[in-house]
Each structure stands twice: as C-alpha cells, then as structure tokens.
Amino acid sequence: MTMPAIPSSAVSPSFHTVATVVAAGDPRRCGARGSVIELRDSEVDYSTAPAHLCFWVPLSGGITVSPRKGQAYGVAGERLTISPPGSVWRGAWRGRMSTMMLEIHPAVLDELAPGRVVYPNRGELLIAEDATLRHSILALQHSLALSTPDDGLFAGHIARAVAWHYLRRYCSTRVADDDRRKLTPAQLKRALELIDARLADKLALDELAELLDLSVATFCRRFKHSVGLPPYQYVLRTRIERAKAQLARHERSLSEIAQALGFYDQSQFSNAFRRIVGISPREYRRRLQS
C-alpha cells in the first residue's frame, strides 16, 4: 500500500510509524521548523513530496531505507539525509531511529539565491556526511531540549546558515552574498527599540522584518552588518548586559533575574552568562561586592 503524498511537511505525526516528540518554529514566520521525530519500523510504503527543504540528522538508532527504485541504504550515525523542495520519495524503511528534522521554507532559498536552483543528485534524496550541517542542526536540537524563549530567532538564524551552506556546497546557483548594506539609522533605532521592549518575550524574526518592511533574510543580513551580530546573538547579549545591571543592584535573586529577562530557568541563565562573561552570575555579584 502506498501512503498519500504529504503536501506541507516531510512527515506527519498522525502516521503510526512516525511520531513528533517536540517541535518549534513556524516556516511561515521565521523560515524554519525544527522537530525531533521518532521513526518506527515500517511495514508499508510511504510516498512523500515535501514542500520544504528538509534535513534529517540521526540522534540515536538507525534505519535501512528501501526506495522503490535503487539499492537500499543505511541512515545512522554521522550520515544525514537531505530532500529538496518538490522531491518525491517512495519506499519503506526498517528499524527505529530518533532524528532531528529541520524544514526550511522555500522563501528562504528564494531570498538567498534568486533565480533557479539546480539541486544535487537530480533533485532526489541526498545522503551526506557534512559536519557543518550536522553540528548546526544539532545546535537547534539542543535549543529545543531547553525550550529557550528565543527559539524563533535562533531557528531562523540556523535555517539561513544551513541553507547558505547547502546552496554554496551542493547546488548550482548564484547565491546573493554581495549585499553588504546596513540598516538605515532610523531602521536600526526602530528594531533596537522593539527588541528592548520585548526582551523577555519570544520575538520572531518576521516581526522585526515586517516592522522595517524587509524580507527576513534581508533584515538578518543588514542587522548583522549594522551591529556585528545576528539578531538572536544580539538579543542574548543584551539580556546579559541587562542582567549585569540587575546583579549590581542586589535587589533580585538569580532566579528572579532569569525570569524577568526571559530565560527558561536559572540554570539556563547561569550557563549563558558564564559563556559570555566568563564567570557565573553569582561570582560576578560576589566580585562587585568585594
């Protein structure tokens, strides 16, 4: 039996052999969706036609994939699977695997590479061992595990970095890498004011881009050229600077500061603070006292 084509996503949680464990992001808003997917032993053929560029990175276990045409192949460990938009795959798999899936909206590809993109492997599934793609996507998986409040910004940034690398390394196209323009002073002021006002909230990239009437990709490029950091890194560092000021006043506990600045918990706040400042927030406060 052949399952019906899946119109908007590479997998569906309604299928008994596929289950979505956790997911975040909206391809229409931030350009990407990250999901942890459990693939279970399949007794039926599947037919998929994903609308998005999709990457699967194995987390544990492994499967043997059997396409309708061609030889069977294994997916596990360092091997990741890539399917371009519009690719059609038919076949089945054996085994069980937990995998991180990243879906990238076609609009992101259009923004990064105007014009026709020629995908590798005749537009069919591609199996690759690529450390850059793997570690970038696993960073998003780590973010999902923490349920970070800025996952929309982070997912959008990761999606564009992954898409950029994929287009340059595997595809034949002219990548739009010559735009070095910055935001105007007025645009930058409006963006920074919104970030400052929403520092403790989930702020999606599309909200910032729409504020300035720019595409998300254009906003990300020009914002980075303007301040030297991608949006999500700027937000994180701004939170840490705000935390320094609150630590100096000794009015709030570490957990209260973490909550007020939008961190998931005190542990996530402490880890981020130590990574950027070099010492823990507790030690930072102690040094201020001495």
Side-chain angles (χ1 to χ4, degrees):
M1 178 176 66
T2 300
M3 302 298 289
I6 305 172
S8 61
S9 176
V11 294
S12 169
S14 63
F15 291 168
H16 69 283
T17 58
V18 177
T20 301
V21 178
V22 61
D26 183 343
R28 294 166 299 180
R29 297 191 66 203
C30 65
R33 171 183 164 91
S35 311
V36 175
I37 304 294
E38 296 288 345
L39 301 177
R40 302 159 186 166
D41 201 49
S42 172
E43 298 296 333
V44 298
D45 281 353
Y46 279 79
S47 174
T48 65
H52 305 144
L53 172 64
C54 296
F55 298 82
W56 288 269
V57 175
L59 301 176
S60 63
I63 58 175
T64 300
V65 181
S66 303
R68 285 280 192 87
K69 298 179 180 180
Q71 296 181 338
Y73 53 86
V75 179
E78 302 294 317
R79 308 184 79 187
L80 55 91
T81 305
I82 309 169
S83 62
S87 64
V88 177
W89 180 84
R90 293 182 176 87
W93 63 78
R94 295 289 182 272
R96 290 173 175 260
M97 182 173 71
S98 174
T99 180
M100 176 66 195
M101 183 179 73
L102 174 62
E103 301 172 84
I104 298 178
H105 196 279
V108 173
L109 302 180
D110 293 340
E111 292 164 354
L112 294 175
R116 181 170 180 266
V117 176
V118 179
Y119 295 104
N121 198 29
R122 301 181 301 279
E124 299 176 358
L125 282 178
L126 176 68
I127 308 297
E129 292 189 18
D130 189 311
T132 298
L133 291 178
R134 177 177 172 80
H135 292 308
S136 297
I137 297 171
L138 288 181
L140 180 57
Q141 186 259 334
H142 180 68
S143 175
L144 287 181
L146 294 175
S147 299
T148 54
D150 54 352
D151 53 10
L153 288 171
F154 188 64
H157 176 74
I158 288 293
R160 281 155 181 82
V162 167
W164 182 273
H165 177 83
Y166 172 75
L167 289 167
R168 292 177 68 91
R169 179 167 181 177
Y170 297 98
C171 302
S172 174
T173 183
R174 183 179 68 84
V175 179
D177 59 356
D178 56 349
D179 184 1
R180 296 291 173 181
R181 287 175 289 177
K182 298 180 179 181
L183 297 173
T184 67
Q187 287 177 322
L188 182 60
K189 182 175 183 292
R190 294 178 68 192
L192 296 184
E193 286 176 344
L194 180 58
I195 289 173
D196 185 69
R198 300 272 302 279
L199 199 57
D201 302 332
K202 288 186 177 182
L203 182 59
L205 285 172
D206 71 319
E207 293 182 69
L208 290 163
E210 287 176 5
L211 177 70
L212 307 181
D213 196 26
L214 298 172
S215 70
V216 173
T218 299
F219 167 75
C220 289
R221 286 197 304 271
R222 295 184 184 179
F223 186 92
K224 184 176 180 180
H225 292 324
S226 299
V227 304
L229 292 170
Y232 88 94
Q233 288 187 3
Y234 176 85
V235 169
L236 178 59
R237 289 179 180 272
T238 302
R239 285 176 175 161
I240 296 302
E241 289 302 313
R242 186 75 59 83
K244 286 181 178 179
Q246 296 192 17
L247 287 168
R249 289 197 293 268
H250 307 286
E251 297 171 352
R252 291 180 169 180
S253 67
L254 297 186
S255 61
E256 289 173 334
I257 293 174
Q259 182 178 10
L261 294 179
F263 289 96
Y264 180 67
D265 55 20
Q266 182 179 330
S267 176
Q268 188 205 12
F269 164 56
S270 296
N271 290 337
F273 192 96
R274 183 182 294 106
R275 187 168 65 252
I276 293 174
V277 181
I279 57 176
S280 69
R282 194 179 303 278
E283 175 65 14
Y284 182 85
R285 172 173 275 176
R286 188 191 67 79
R287 292 186 184 185
L288 289 177
Q289 291 175 332
S290 62

